[in-house]
């Protein structure tokens, strides 16, 4: 998708489709308070073209509600699309992002390959809530999100992607600020889609080795340092927990390490991003039921998010050092697979000390095993702050539905930076507790800890398992099992990989920029 800004009035732009936002200005409630839609643009010609449909009562400007006008009078555009943002009082940057996605997703199936979006810019209405620069960033992010479709393996696939996206910005805007924000939005949107394209790949097309290759190619392109290791390195580092998962598969594991070092930064924090990269999770010997097992190709979404975030970090260049570690493996049942009851020894933080021992209760609780060694390795490489992302538990969806991800942290200061990041990203997480009573649930009779904690609080006991390896290093754990995959398409995003939490990881990293 080509992207550009235009500073000429939208009414004069000749285009296949001009999209403009509307919001409902009705503040009253009750039977007599009808929706009162109003366009969020200052362009008088666009206002005039939309006037009759807005006053008709047919269009309410509900969030992502669209209406299309052909040959709009007085406009150079062939079509005018009005996209609702819902109640004006509740409009924010995240609604604008979604609205831009909805405009793109409206155009795609209609064969429209080029669109111009008029910046939401009604000076009196919106500038205070969504400044023009912020709106420019989120609009182009949303356009990329909307442009992604997952049907890449259809033999008769018609490429419906938008070729050209233009944001029309009012002439009074601070051009430099808008241009900078727009350029950031392009990087963020492309990076999120890069992560989504990885998550979308089926297990046979994206083995751990291939994931490693894709990460390395990206790193090469954007100028990150990278290493991709396999079995030998796992043994050398004594990554007994990671290897325990991988040993059942004919596909070798990949230990993917990406490093970002900004010029001249030699001290301050080193952020460790650790991602679960299970390219397919059968459950292993504790095999999963056949129903829906195909979905387990997305069990590497946490790893993909870290790879996508590193791409954005490399291009946006925050002033803080970052290391990403993705532990990629297949969880398979086989003659060489680990068994329930097996005891595994995790990687030791200090090479000649003993590692923690883990009693395997259920081979399907494999994500925490690969992450255990990933977290330890990040600490060994000097990470001062850790964040991990993983499609870790079904239990997180029992707790939070497929609405929010679960977040956990052993450090309030580090977590408050993540809350700041969520304000920018618009991604939704809810913090859940850690605590000794939960840690008690994973004590083992034979070794240090066991890999499942029983029926209750499954997402929390999984987090406590990871806590054993983060120890007292400030750490955030994100359980994205419920939100990494969009189950039903929405107006602004296709069914399929969501790309969460690429944006939040990026913004969290940026809060550390020196
Ligand atoms: N990858 C799954 C978690 C998952 C479930 C992700 C549904 C996405 C959608 C994870 O490896 C797993 O199998 N977890 C088990 C843990 C249990 C055995 C303690 C689970 O949640 O059932
Ligand atoms: Mn599993
Ligand atoms: Zn899994």
């Amino acid at each position: 998708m080509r992207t550009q800004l235009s500073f000429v009035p939208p009414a004069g732009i000749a285009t296949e489709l001009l999209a403009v936002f509307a919001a409902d200005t009705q503040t009253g409630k009750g039977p007599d308070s009808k929706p009162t839609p109003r366009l969020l643009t200052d362009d008088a010609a666009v206002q005039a073209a939309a006037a009759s449909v807005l006053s008709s009562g047919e269009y309410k400007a509900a969030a992502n509600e669209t209406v299309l006008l052909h040959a709009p009078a007085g406009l150079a555009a062939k079509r005018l699309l009005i996209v609702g943002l819902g109640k004006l009082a509740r409009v924010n940057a995240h609604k604008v992002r979604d609205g831009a996605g909805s405009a793109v997703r409206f155009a795609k199936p209609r064969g429209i390959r080029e669109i111009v979006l008029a910046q939401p810019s009604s000076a009196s209405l919106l500038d205070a809530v969504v400044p023009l620069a912020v709106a420019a960033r989120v609009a182009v992010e949303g356009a990329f999100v909307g442009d992604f479709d997952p049907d890449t393996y259809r033999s008769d696939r018609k490429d419906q992607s938008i070729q050209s996206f233009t944001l029309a910005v009012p002439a009074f805007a601070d051009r430099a600020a808008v241009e900078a924000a727009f350029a950031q939005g392009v990087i963020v949107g492309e990076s999120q889609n890069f992560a989504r394209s990885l998550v979308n790949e089926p297990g046979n097309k994206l083995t751990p080795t291939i994931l490693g290759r894709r990460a390395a190619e990206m790193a090469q392109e954007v100028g990150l340092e990278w290493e991709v290791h396999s079995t030998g390195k796992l043994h050398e580092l004594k990554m007994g927990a990671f290897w325990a998962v991988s040993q059942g598969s004919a596909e070798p594991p990949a230990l993917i390490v990406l490093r970002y070092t900004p010029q001249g930064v030699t001290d301050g924090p080193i952020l460790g991003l650790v991602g679960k990269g299970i390219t397919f999770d059968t459950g292993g010997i504790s095999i999963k039921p056949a129903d829906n097992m195909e979905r387990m190709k997305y069990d590497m979404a946490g790893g993909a998010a870290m790879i996508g975030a590193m791409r954005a970090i490399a291009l946006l260049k925050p002033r803080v050092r970052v290391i990403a570690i993705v532990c990629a493996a297949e969880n398979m049942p086989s003659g060489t697979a680990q068994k329930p009851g097996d005891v595994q020894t995790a990687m030791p933080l200090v090479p000649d000390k003993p590692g923690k021992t883990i009693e395997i209760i259920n081979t399907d609780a494999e994500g925490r095993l690969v992450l255990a060694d990933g977290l330890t390795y990040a600490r060994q490489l000097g990470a001062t702050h850790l964040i991990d992302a993983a499609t870790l538990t079904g239990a997180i969806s029992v707790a939070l539905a497929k609405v929010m991800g679960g977040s956990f942290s052993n450090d309030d200061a580090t977590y408050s930076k993540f809350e700041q990041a969520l304000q920018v990203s618009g991604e939704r997480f809810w913090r859940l507790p850690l605590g000794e009573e939960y840690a008690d649930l994973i004590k083992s009779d034979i070794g240090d800890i066991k890999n499942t904690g029983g029926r209750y609080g499954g997402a929390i006991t999984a987090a406590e398992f990871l806590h054993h390896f983060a120890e007292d290093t400030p750490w955030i754990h994100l359980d994205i099992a419920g939100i990494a995959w969009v189950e039903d398409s929405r107006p602004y995003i296709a069914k399929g990989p969501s790309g969460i939490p690429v944006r939040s990881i990026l913004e969290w990293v940026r809060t550390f920029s020196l």
Side-chain angles (χ1 to χ4, degrees):
M1 191 168 79
R2 271 187 294 115
T3 55
Q4 55 270 311
L5 290 167
S6 165
F7 294 91
V8 306
I13 304 178
T15 172
E16 289 295 320
L17 182 77
L18 174 65
V20 61
F21 292 121
D24 180 8
T25 58
Q26 175 62 260
T27 51
K29 289 194 178 107
D32 298 328
S33 44
K34 296 204 176 63
T36 316
R38 176 170 167 183
L39 283 200
L40 300 182
T41 176
D42 300 321
D43 193 302
V46 177
Q47 302 251 14
S52 69
V53 69
L54 289 192
S55 61
S56 69
E58 292 167 23
Y59 178 75
K60 302 178 174 56
N64 305 301
E65 185 191 359
T66 47
V67 64
L68 180 70
L69 307 176
H70 277 261
L75 304 187
K78 287 194 196 161
R79 303 174 189 82
L80 178 66
L81 178 72
I82 306 175
V83 181
L85 298 182
K87 290 275 187 205
L88 181 64
R90 273 185 253 140
V91 170
N92 60 26
H94 310 310
K95 300 249 167 74
V96 173
R97 186 190 289 109
D98 291 350
S102 295
V104 163
R105 290 187 59 72
F106 182 94
K108 289 187 68 175
R110 291 170 175 82
I112 300 168
R113 310 290 288 273
E114 177 245 322
I115 92 172
V116 175
L117 175 66
Q119 172 112 341
S121 69
S122 188
S124 54
L125 294 177
L126 256 189
D127 292 0
V129 195
V130 189
L132 288 175
V134 173
R137 174 184 161 169
V138 293
V140 72
E141 282 178 11
F144 276 103
V145 171
D147 198 38
F148 180 95
D149 268 302
D151 58 343
T152 45
Y153 286 100
R154 236 181 258 271
S155 57
D156 63 346
R157 183 175 201 248
K158 293 182 199 57
D159 184 2
Q160 299 184 323
S161 53
I162 297 292
Q163 287 175 344
S164 169
F165 174 83
T166 304
L167 187 68
V169 183
F172 64 79
D174 172 347
R175 286 194 188 195
V178 167
E179 272 160 9
F182 188 78
Q184 284 188 22
V186 171
I187 291 169
V188 175
E190 285 178 341
S191 298
Q192 181 174 347
N193 281 356
F194 175 58
R196 291 166 83 193
S197 70
L198 295 174
V199 177
N200 197 45
E201 291 294 326
N204 66 327
K205 303 284 185 189
L206 192 94
T207 60
T209 308
I210 298 171
L211 180 60
R213 198 180 305 148
R214 296 287 302 269
E217 284 164 6
M218 180 280 290
Q220 201 69 38
E221 232 174 82
V222 301
L224 292 166
E225 281 179 74
W226 60 271
E227 294 161 39
V228 179
H229 302 287
S230 191
T231 312
K233 186 75 171 183
L234 267 59
H235 293 322
E236 183 193 314
L237 293 169
K238 300 188 184 153
M239 290 182 151
F242 185 178
W243 174 248
V245 177
S246 191
Q247 72 181 51
S249 173
E251 287 293 338
L255 171 62
I256 303 166
V257 184
L258 304 175
R259 268 202 189 78
Y260 166 73
T261 313
Q263 283 229 316
V265 176
T266 53
D267 60 1
I270 299 178
L271 308 180
L273 319 185
V274 182
K276 170 176 174 181
I278 300 298
T279 58
F280 197 81
D281 181 11
T282 66
I285 295 298
S286 315
I287 198 162
K288 288 180 182 294
D291 271 3
N292 298 327
M293 200 207 273
E294 73 285 355
R295 295 194 185 162
M296 283 302 112
K297 70 173 190 173
Y298 82 81
D299 213 18
M300 36 59 76
M306 296 315 186
I307 296 169
M310 286 303 278
R311 180 187 183 278
I313 290 163
L315 296 171
L316 292 172
K317 305 195 186 332
R319 299 201 42 83
V320 59
R321 292 172 291 174
V322 188
I323 303 174
I325 292 171
V326 177
C327 299
E330 257 187 3
N331 189 24
M332 298 290 280
S334 76
T336 62
Q338 67 170 338
K339 305 167 290 296
D342 285 0
V343 174
Q344 309 292 2
T345 305
M347 177 183 173
L349 182 60
V350 180
D352 292 323
K353 292 270 167 65
K356 293 191 181 182
T357 55
I358 303 164
E359 180 188 5
I360 304 302
I361 302 298
N362 188 319
T363 64
D364 198 9
E366 84 298 341
R368 63 199 76 184
L369 298 176
V370 305
L371 289 171
D373 286 347
L375 289 164
T376 301
Y377 191 38
R379 294 174 74 202
Q380 198 179 82
L381 293 176
T384 58
H385 298 73
L386 298 165
I387 192 162
D388 76 70
T391 45
L392 203 61
T393 68
I396 199 64
S397 305
V398 175
L400 298 170
K402 291 175 175 289
V403 175
M404 298 192 198
S407 49
F408 301 81
S409 182
N410 60 358
D411 186 73
D412 290 343
T414 303
Y415 191 77
S416 74
K417 285 173 168 288
F418 186 70
E419 283 184 319
Q420 262 172 265
L422 294 179
Q423 298 293 317
V424 179
S425 73
E427 296 172 343
R428 296 170 80 197
F429 283 87
W430 192 260
R431 189 175 177 181
L432 293 168
L434 295 167
E436 233 169 88
E437 296 95 327
Y438 295 111
D440 285 346
L441 298 174
I442 52 168
K443 282 189 175 149
S444 167
D445 294 333
I446 190 174
D448 297 332
I449 48 176
K450 52 187 184 180
N451 79 332
T452 68
R455 195 164 139 68
Y456 301 115
I460 306 177
T461 49
E464 276 299 352
F465 184 97
L466 301 179
H467 194 183
H468 271 275
F469 299 91
E471 296 187 311
D472 50 9
T473 303
W475 154 77
I476 297 170
H477 159 57
L478 304 176
D479 192 337
I480 56 168
I483 56 170
W485 196 265
V486 180
E487 307 262 341
D488 297 298
S489 67
R490 299 179 204 144
Y492 52 88
I493 191 168
K495 172 174 171 174
S498 66
I500 298 172
V502 169
R503 296 201 303 257
S504 301
I505 298 286
L506 165 69
E507 292 308 323
W508 180 75
V509 165
R510 292 172 107 192
T511 66
F512 287 87
S513 186
L514 300 170

